[in-house]
Amino acid sequence: MKLPLSGRALTAGAVAVATLMTGGAVAGAAPATAPAPASAAAAAPDIPIANVKAHLARFQSIAQANGGNRAHGRPGYQASLDYVKAKLDAAGFTTTVQRFTASGRTGYNLIADWPGGDANQVVMAGSHLDSVSSGPGINDNGSGSAAVLETALAVARSGHQPAKHLRFAWWGAEELGLVGSRHYVSSLGSTGRAKISGYLNFDMIGSPNPGYFVYDDDPVIEKTFKDYFAGLGIATEIETEGDGRSDHAPFKNAGVPVGGLFSGADYRKTSAQAAKWGGTVGQPFDRCYHSSCDTTANIDDTALDRNSDAIAYALWELSR
């Protein structure tokens, strides 16, 4: 999640051009073909937490091999994108790498489309893939990136074929001011934006002293997430700490229905919140926010597991 405007260094010249590069299935693999339509009543799968954590471990290793971070324009970001793209290509997604510039460096978004569904009704899930330069960014935002990746892979494993078209995205340069997602929304034009029936954003979903926050933007998306957590007996709160500070904002500003989940950053947990969710009163939801200690040790497995399953539930429900 990016810093508030007063606390971040924005780049001049955010957005330079171009799309580019699509990757298909891995060499030697059969072309992706649309499986038979699944039952409209098909339930969302459980997202294996071990798989999500394996992606986080890979992001950690990438950061360690590349100066301790996965920041925009740095080798660690490129390696993270290559890792995610390879997984999606092998699973049969159509992937597109979109290029832009920010702070004098080239940045990239990764877009992955699952074959099938109504192209005029797109349900989209996204997360930012970049970290700050001061750390590996495992909760912020390896957590969202890994969970969205594993949910996409679950779509492929299940052969899910909903009525609506599914699209997934990993954004670059979020930490510099939502640069990648702004570029993408701008590149769609009004016609492309009108085809997105909902954009779901996941930025920090495994905070070590977690809360369970739901965006209060589109009421249908909001209710979908609240219904999921109510089924687990977990009370949620409206997300306010990150409002307008993550990649849902460009979509919302363009009139696209948005929603999402958040487990908290540097706000401190109140006694009432600790009574609902456990954890430590008076401590930040994530004491390692934007710091070098945002490593794989900075993740609450229970929050990551619940939020990952909630992503799948919402995508299955909203894409029927």
Side-chain angles (χ1 to χ4, degrees):
M1 177 174 291
K2 73 178 179 67
L3 288 168
L5 183 61
S6 59
R8 59 182 159 87
L10 274 183
T11 163
V15 190
V17 170
T19 49
L20 312 185
M21 294 192 56
T22 80
V26 286
T33 57
S39 165
D46 179 77
I47 301 301
I49 186 63
N51 292 6
V52 180
K53 292 187 69 178
H55 301 316
L56 293 181
R58 186 59 180 270
F59 292 149
Q60 178 75 54
S61 296
I62 286 170
Q64 288 173 338
N66 290 281
N69 67 69
R70 301 179 303 102
H72 162 72
R74 310 290 180 86
Y77 181 81
Q78 183 67 61
S80 297
L81 185 144
D82 290 345
Y83 169 74
V84 175
K85 184 177 185 299
K87 292 284 187 183
L88 296 164
D89 288 342
F93 283 84
T94 299
T95 59
T96 303
V97 176
Q98 186 180 53
R99 180 176 176 175
F100 59 88
T101 59
S103 294
R105 296 174 182 264
T106 301
Y108 304 95
N109 295 323
L110 175 63
I111 313 299
D113 285 275
W114 181 239
D118 184 351
N120 291 313
Q121 297 186 77
V122 178
V123 176
M124 191 170 183
S127 59
H128 76 86
L129 187 57
D130 62 316
S131 74
V132 292
S133 60
S134 56
I138 299 304
N139 187 37
D140 184 16
N141 183 38
S143 61
S145 293
V148 172
L149 171 58
E150 191 57 32
T151 302
L153 297 178
V155 168
R157 285 193 298 267
S158 68
H160 186 45
Q161 284 295 308
K164 297 178 182 177
H165 181 75
L166 289 176
R167 180 175 298 157
F168 299 85
W170 290 263
W171 308 117
E174 187 269 359
E175 299 290 1
L176 298 183
L178 320 180
V179 180
S181 56
R182 289 183 195 276
H183 177 58
Y184 175 78
V185 172
S186 177
S187 73
L188 288 175
S190 58
T191 301
R193 291 192 289 269
K195 293 178 180 180
I196 302 177
S197 59
Y199 171 72
L200 315 182
N201 194 62
F202 305 100
D203 187 354
M204 302 180 66
I205 60 168
S207 302
N209 189 27
Y212 292 89
F213 299 100
V214 176
Y215 295 14
D216 67 337
D217 294 294
D218 179 74
V220 174
I221 299 173
E222 178 185 355
K223 184 179 185 299
T224 302
F225 284 123
K226 286 184 171 180
D227 286 349
Y228 174 79
F229 284 105
L232 298 180
I234 297 171
T236 59
E237 290 186 9
I238 296 304
E239 196 284 304
T240 58
E241 181 180 3
D243 194 23
R245 290 170 52 187
S246 193
D247 293 297
H248 61 292
F251 289 88
K252 180 179 178 178
N253 293 341
V256 175
V258 301
L261 300 174
F262 179 56
S263 57
D266 54 358
Y267 282 21
R268 295 178 182 272
K269 182 172 281 187
T270 67
S271 57
Q273 289 169 333
K276 284 190 292 192
W277 301 323
T280 307
V281 177
Q283 292 298 311
F285 293 102
D286 183 355
R287 64 180 181 82
C288 290
Y289 175 60
H290 282 188
S291 300
S292 61
C293 60
D294 187 10
T295 66
T296 50
N298 190 48
I299 291 289
D300 181 270
D301 287 0
T302 300
L304 183 66
D305 191 17
R306 289 169 172 170
N307 283 318
S308 297
D309 289 340
I311 295 172
Y313 174 83
L315 283 176
W316 256 251
E317 289 296 311
L318 295 167
S319 63
R320 292 186 186 281

